[in-house]
Amino acid sequence: MNQRIRLAPLDVLRLGLLGLRTRRTRAALSALGIAIGIATLVVVTGIPASSQRALMDELSALGTNMLRAQPPPSGSGPEALLPEAADAMAARIGPVTSASAVANTHATVRRSDLADPNDSIGMTVLAARTNLLDTIGGGMGSGRFLTPATEHFPTAVLGPRAASRLGFDRIVPGSEPLVSIDGHAFTVIGVLRPMPLTPELETSVLVGWDAARHTLGFDGHPTVIYVKAVESRIEAVRDVLPATVNPELPGLVQVSRPSDALAAKRATQHTFSALFLGLAGVALLVGGIGVANTMVVSVLERRREIGLRRALGANRRQIRGQFLAESVALSVLGGLTGTVLGAAATAGYALSRSWPPVLPPLALAAGVLGALVVGAAAGVYPAVRASRLPPTEALAAV
């Protein structure tokens, strides 16, 4: 009486790996084909993702997450002053990440007391908060910006066009020049870079908030509030900003509308998302076909082995398990290799184009898990076909 042979799952796995080790060249070529398919999956999702990140960064630089709040022009009705703590109140709005302010001091700036007063036409002296550059995304061309230490002293930072008019193109530490603001000497400590999002600051002379109070008689009321918020909540912030910065007279607060670049950015994100799904699906399909083709060929090549195992007592379930184990092992090996190759290729291409390298976690996970699932699915038919071969027919195959 024949005793039924049983194999534990670990034994089935070892048997499948044994088949790979005894046919190393075929296994290596098969794994390479799978690796190419998975690498393609990573590349066709990673490169567009890197391109998208570069494009999103460019669009974000156009002020998609920034708003500006200010009173209406003085000629359109009674003058409305914003509260002194308006920028601090705006910063308490949940989605707001940063809020800052500037205020017109109505002072006059000249290169020196002996310069022609008409030389100051077109330039504005603004009191500025120390976090202004972080909020508006500005930067320094030379020198340094106002700090909590220097804002108490008569120091000034020039916009690029104001610096050009005053004859100071670059500030060298240790030899900072002086300008005259309402007859008071202020040390110029820096020059801003051009800022297309806030062109009004390019012709401005920025001084510290406290220095403007003590030296220039500034009343402390800001004239423009700059707000940076979470991009997805920018419309909600815009709706509550007037009542937040001026609770008594919210109707007398003008708030800029979100940049047109925001709509373009959202449309681009939607398009790229659809593209990623399509490319990933095609790459997985190609990889699955490759695995299935490899395993079918393997069954045809190993009919004598299958017949011998059946003649020695292996049942159909064990034959199916062996070929499924081989298919999954090949897929995992190819998936890991392909993921590494795809990640390296994506990073190299992105860096060559000066893009930030982006490797979507979903694509990396799909590289291994997708190969495992597709390998198992693609190995089902070859495994079933191998298990159905009659032992006599398999042994008679040449």
Side-chain angles (χ1 to χ4, degrees), residues 15 29 33 37 46-47 55 76 84 131 138 158 164 183 192 201 235 245 252 294 297 316 318 329 366 374 398:
L15 188 61
L29 293 176
I47 289 180
L55 178 58
S76 61
E84 295 185 20
N131 66 339
L158 308 180
S164 179
L192 299 175
L201 298 182
E235 288 87 356
V245 300
L252 295 181
T294 298
V297 172
R316 291 185 176 184
Q318 292 164 356
V374 171
V398 179

Side-chain angles (χ1 to χ4, degrees), residues 60 103 188 315 330 384:
S60 295
V188 179
N315 57 38
L330 274 176
V384 172

Side-chain angles (χ1 to χ4, degrees), residues 38 78 117 129 137 179 243 267 331 354-355 357 369 383:
I38 298 303
R129 299 291 193 189
V179 293
S331 298
S354 299
W355 295 344
L369 298 179

Side-chain angles (χ1 to χ4, degrees), residues 161-234:
R161 294 169 63 187
S164 179
R165 291 185 186 182
L166 292 171
F168 307 125
D169 293 331
R170 186 171 183 82
I171 303 303
V172 179
S175 60
E176 292 89 349
L178 299 176
V179 293
S180 176
I181 301 178
D182 275 3
H184 301 280
F186 276 70
T187 302
V188 179
I189 61 173
V191 175
L192 299 175
R193 288 203 309 255
M195 294 179 293
L197 293 180
T198 53
E200 67 276 9
L201 298 182
E202 295 192 1
T203 56
S204 300
V205 177
L206 306 178
V207 298
W209 206 269
D210 287 347
R213 279 179 177 272
H214 300 146
T215 308
L216 305 178
F218 166 52
D219 61 6
H221 292 279
T223 51
V224 180
I225 307 295
Y226 297 99
V227 172
K228 184 165 65 174
V230 176
E231 194 173 275
S232 60
R233 304 293 302 280
I234 195 73

Side-chain angles (χ1 to χ4, degrees), residues 27-334:
L29 293 176
S30 301
L32 179 61
I34 298 168
I36 292 174
I38 298 303
T40 302
L41 166 66
V42 176
V43 168
V44 299
T45 54
I47 289 180
S50 300
S51 174
Q52 181 194 29
R53 176 67 60 82
L55 178 58
M56 294 301 102
D57 290 344
E58 291 180 8
L59 292 176
S60 295
L62 300 179
T64 55
N65 63 344
M66 193 174 76
L67 296 172
R68 179 189 290 105
Q70 61 189 34
S74 57
S76 61
E79 184 178 4
L81 298 177
L82 295 176
E84 295 185 20
D87 55 319
M89 293 189 290
R92 288 196 288 266
I93 301 174
V96 171
T97 57
S98 179
S100 190
V102 297
N104 192 345
T105 64
H106 304 287
T108 301
V109 59
R110 291 185 291 172
R111 184 181 176 91
S112 71
D113 292 335
L114 302 178
D116 186 348
N118 293 327
D119 290 344
S120 64
I121 295 177
M123 291 186 290
T124 307
V125 178
L126 300 177
R129 299 291 193 189
T130 56
N131 66 339
L132 178 65
L133 289 190
D134 292 335
T135 303
I136 64 175
M140 300 300 300
S142 63
R144 62 191 188 279
F145 194 66
L146 301 167
T147 66
T150 59
E151 72 163 345
H152 301 290
F153 300 99
T155 56
V157 175
L158 308 180
R161 294 169 63 187
S164 179
R165 291 185 186 182
L166 292 171
F168 307 125
D169 293 331
R170 186 171 183 82
I171 303 303
V172 179
S175 60
E176 292 89 349
L178 299 176
V179 293
S180 176
I181 301 178
D182 275 3
H184 301 280
F186 276 70
T187 302
V188 179
I189 61 173
V191 175
L192 299 175
R193 288 203 309 255
M195 294 179 293
L197 293 180
T198 53
E200 67 276 9
L201 298 182
E202 295 192 1
T203 56
S204 300
V205 177
L206 306 178
V207 298
W209 206 269
D210 287 347
R213 279 179 177 272
H214 300 146
T215 308
L216 305 178
F218 166 52
D219 61 6
H221 292 279
T223 51
V224 180
I225 307 295
Y226 297 99
V227 172
K228 184 165 65 174
V230 176
E231 194 173 275
S232 60
R233 304 293 302 280
I234 195 73
E235 288 87 356
V237 172
R238 184 176 188 269
D239 291 339
V240 301
L241 191 57
T244 302
V245 300
N246 195 353
E248 295 183 358
L249 297 171
L252 295 181
V253 178
Q254 293 183 341
V255 181
S256 63
R257 66 185 182 86
S259 169
D260 290 337
L262 180 59
K265 184 175 181 179
R266 288 174 176 171
T268 302
Q269 287 175 326
H270 178 75
T271 301
F272 269 100
S273 297
L275 175 64
F276 293 160
L277 291 176
L279 292 176
V282 171
L284 280 175
L285 177 61
V286 172
I289 293 175
V291 175
N293 181 67
T294 298
M295 297 310 298
V296 169
V297 172
S298 177
V299 170
L300 296 177
E301 292 178 347
R302 299 164 62 187
R303 298 178 69 182
R304 291 179 62 85
E305 174 191 339
I306 296 169
L308 181 59
R309 288 203 61 222
R310 290 295 306 278
L312 293 176
N315 57 38
R316 291 185 176 184
R317 180 179 179 183
Q318 292 164 356
I319 297 295
R320 288 197 300 267
Q322 175 188 352
F323 277 83
L324 276 176
E326 288 189 23
S327 177
V328 170
L330 274 176
S331 298
V332 171
L333 178 61

